[in-house]
Amino acid sequence: MALRAGVVGRCRADRECTNAALRCRHGEAARALEFTILTAARTGMTLGAFPREIDLTAATRTVPGNRMKAKTEHTIPLPAAAIALARPRMERNLLFPNDHSNQPLSENAMLALLKRMGYRHVTVHGFRSTFKDWTSETTDFPDDLSDAALAHRIRDKARAAYKRGTMLEKRRRPMEAWENYFLGRLHT
């Protein structure tokens, strides 16, 4: 993969919301937001995450279809930082429970965290958009890899009929590069 010159200029998620700022925060909402960003997941995918969905050996997370927007099982190659977040949580019922009740975090927990951090104009979903912009505008990864990473459905019925694979192993490289991009922002 070769990075093109420049950085995404039209990021929908605030580029100043760095990993460093997030790491200074305590609590499960902060760790859940990190995991969400690193895996380019939807909010609900993280809020309902169970340790049994994580395969530490394979470095994957498999989300059942009943919790996916497209109602199809989705396996995510996990970068090292996502594994590091999951590993100490493997004995829990939920991967990221509410700090006080041990129930799932609220739908707005990560958004509220961003607001408390001063990022009122940033949404959690915006990081998925940033992932898509970043892969499209600053890398040479094919568009279908980023769409597969985001679990986007192929709208063209003829194309979808012939595309049955998941490209799981091919998706590892963009996820690792995204991790490096996100973690590298510590120094920007």
Side-chain angles (χ1 to χ4, degrees):
M1 179 222 43
L3 287 178
R4 292 188 206 117
V7 182
V8 177
R10 297 183 311 273
C11 292
R12 292 185 186 101
D14 189 341
R15 294 189 42 75
E16 296 172 6
C17 184
T18 65
N19 181 37
L22 192 53
R23 295 295 285 167
C24 290
R25 293 297 180 148
H26 299 285
E28 290 303 305
R31 302 301 71 82
L33 182 56
E34 281 183 90
F35 190 83
T36 301
I37 295 167
L38 287 164
T39 60
R42 290 184 175 89
T43 298
M45 291 167 60
T46 298
L47 296 180
F50 293 100
R52 66 180 173 265
E53 297 170 354
I54 308 283
D55 182 333
L56 295 174
T57 305
T60 58
R61 175 182 176 212
T62 301
V63 184
N66 66 341
R67 291 211 345 271
M68 293 297 299
K69 184 177 179 181
K71 303 297 181 206
T72 304
E73 181 180 277
H74 180 58
T75 300
I76 304 161
L78 297 176
I83 290 289
L85 286 165
R87 189 177 306 281
R89 293 169 166 78
M90 294 304 289
E91 300 303 318
R92 297 176 172 184
N93 181 39
L94 289 168
L95 208 56
F96 302 103
N98 180 296
D99 290 317
H100 305 291
S101 69
N102 213 27
Q103 297 298 308
L105 288 167
S106 78
E107 187 73 26
N108 291 314
M110 292 185 280
L111 183 59
L113 171 66
L114 287 169
K115 290 186 186 313
R116 285 193 306 275
M117 292 172 66
Y119 301 109
R120 299 197 177 285
H121 57 290
V122 177
T123 65
V124 178
H125 196 79
F127 289 101
R128 283 174 57 84
S129 179
T130 299
F131 172 81
K132 181 65 175 168
D133 288 347
W134 173 81
T135 56
S136 297
E137 296 181 24
T138 67
T139 76
D140 291 329
F141 293 121
D143 215 32
D144 59 342
L145 278 181
S146 60
D147 283 333
L150 294 169
H152 285 166
R153 234 186 208 163
I154 299 170
R155 296 188 189 270
D156 181 303
K157 289 182 181 182
R159 196 168 155 242
Y162 288 96
K163 188 143 187 115
R164 296 186 189 130
T166 65
M167 298 188 292
L168 178 63
E169 290 308 313
K170 282 186 171 185
R171 287 189 284 124
R172 285 192 190 281
R173 287 189 58 227
M175 296 312 291
E176 289 166 359
W178 172 245
E179 171 192 42
N180 290 334
Y181 174 72
F182 176 62
L183 296 178
R185 289 165 55 188
L186 274 165
H187 306 292
T188 60

